[in-house]
Amino acid sequence: MKNVWEEALFNLSKAAEAMDLEPEILERLSVPMRFTEFTIPVRMDNGARKLFLAFRSCHQDATGPTKDGTRVRPGLTPEEIKALSLFMSIKHGVAGIPAGGGKGGIRADPSALSEGEYERLIRGFIRRLNPKGAFTDIPGADIGTGKQAMAWMLDEYEQMTGMHCPAAINDKPAELGGSLGGFEATGWGVAACTGKAAEKMNLEPGRTPVVIQGFGQVGSVAAKKLSSMGFPVTAVSDIAGAVENPGGLDIGGLAAHVDRTGSVAGFPGGRNADKGRILEIPCGILIPAAVQDVITAENARRIQAKVIVEAANAPVSPEADDMLASAGIRVIPDVVANSGGAIVCDFERTQGLSNDYWSLDKVEERLNGRILTAYREAEDRAAERKVSMRRGAWINAMGKIRAAMLLRGWC
Ligand code: NAD
């Protein structure tokens, strides 16, 4: 993996330059407000104690309590966590979420741990981190943590404090105060942004083929929603293969096939395609929803889409960004397009604090309103400064953080 922290600082400095940000504010945003590195001793099943390294980065809290996920993966670096906390500050600013950016993580391989070892590791993370609750720093889930891990985190936190406080931990199961729509949030947001981009470019849904790389949580939910909006999803890939049908794939049937077989490959409702060339299939809208850095200087010239909607984080490299702009291909940036998950996380905290839990329809309606506002604001800032929508989104977020810092008298 390339240095994500350097890439985050690159985007930060480019937006700062475009908006004439005061050097003092740029300096404050270029380093996390607080970064904690700590160890978690875990009793393993064989009786030995093993020490795991953990991190929590709070990028800035001028705009509200820091909040977001906990990543557990082997080889996790402090730079990755710092970069992700900065991205969360930006994503929250973009989406109008009154929160600062946070990110935590543990350097460990969940698949190499027994369930008991993993539970002790997760509980140990909260015990050692000792978070101060819903108004300070709110951990959530990320790669390597899911609903069960968040349930253990909440339970550990509530045992430590002796109080029930569902808003202190995000991404928990609905039975413990989690929000409905958490699973769908990012895919729904991607679909809403896709619909808006198509409308702005006069692309009629029925005549606008959509190609999606990745058919996991985000890609499959976006595919289903887009299909229901009338867009033909003509090709889909995953790590194992790809399938295409120029007439449009039956997404319900494809999802059932994936449930049965574990991959989109071999779906009888289409023909197998070359997963290595999925991004180069001619289409109206291309949605990379798998991993970062898939559209680079190497393949950008071969992209034949009118719009790219970044469902994954950073799927387009900075060099490719410039090449796509020259070719007239519009990019809806990740900080807007995949902010649905962060938005519903904020709804989760609101519901936990108010004890008023919303229906799925209400979550979706509010999510659409919030993400389309984020879309419009990013476009407006981009038009004002004559920059890309990505830059416009960053400027929008940084303007809000700047205002909060100045009003607090920090700069
Ligand atoms: P997931 O693990 O559920 O699904 C990932 C999908 O991508 C799978 O279908 C997998 O087979 C496929 N894939 C992996 N490597 C691939 C490759 N090299 N080529 C083609 N396909 C490949 O993950 P997800 O939750 O759907 O997340 C997808 C992306 O969206 C990630 O980049 C993630 O960081 C980003 N994201 C997710 C969320 C969220 O709420 N889940 C929020 C923001 C951003």
Side-chain angles (χ1 to χ4, degrees), residues 71 91 143 182-183 186 213-219 237-240 275 289-292 294 311-313 338 341:
R71 183 165 285 196
K91 210 175 273 189
I143 294 165
F183 181 86
T186 304
Q213 182 192 46
F215 199 68
Q217 181 178 344
V218 178
S237 73
D238 62 20
I239 188 102
K275 78 178 168 86
V291 289
Q292 65 180 48
V294 291
N313 286 320
N338 71 23

Side-chain angles (χ1 to χ4, degrees), residues 236-319:
V236 168
S237 73
D238 62 20
I239 188 102
V243 64
E244 68 180 330
N245 181 341
L249 292 157
D250 162 21
I251 299 302
L254 180 60
H257 173 80
V258 172
D259 281 346
R260 261 195 324 274
T261 67
S263 171
V264 299
F267 175 53
R271 56 172 187 256
N272 280 338
D274 177 358
K275 78 178 168 86
R277 303 195 81 82
I278 184 96
L279 300 168
E280 298 165 23
I281 294 176
C283 62
I285 293 171
L286 176 62
I287 304 183
V291 289
Q292 65 180 48
D293 264 332
V294 291
I295 301 175
T296 63
E298 192 277 317
N299 63 353
R301 275 194 193 86
R302 297 196 296 275
I303 304 289
Q304 301 182 62
K306 294 188 172 66
V307 187
I308 296 174
V309 181
E310 292 187 326
N313 286 320
V316 176
S317 73
E319 306 78 44

Side-chain angles (χ1 to χ4, degrees), residues 326-346:
S326 310
I329 299 173
R330 233 174 127 44
V331 176
I332 311 305
D334 49 6
V335 284
V336 176
N338 71 23
S339 64
I343 291 172
V344 172
C345 258
D346 181 48

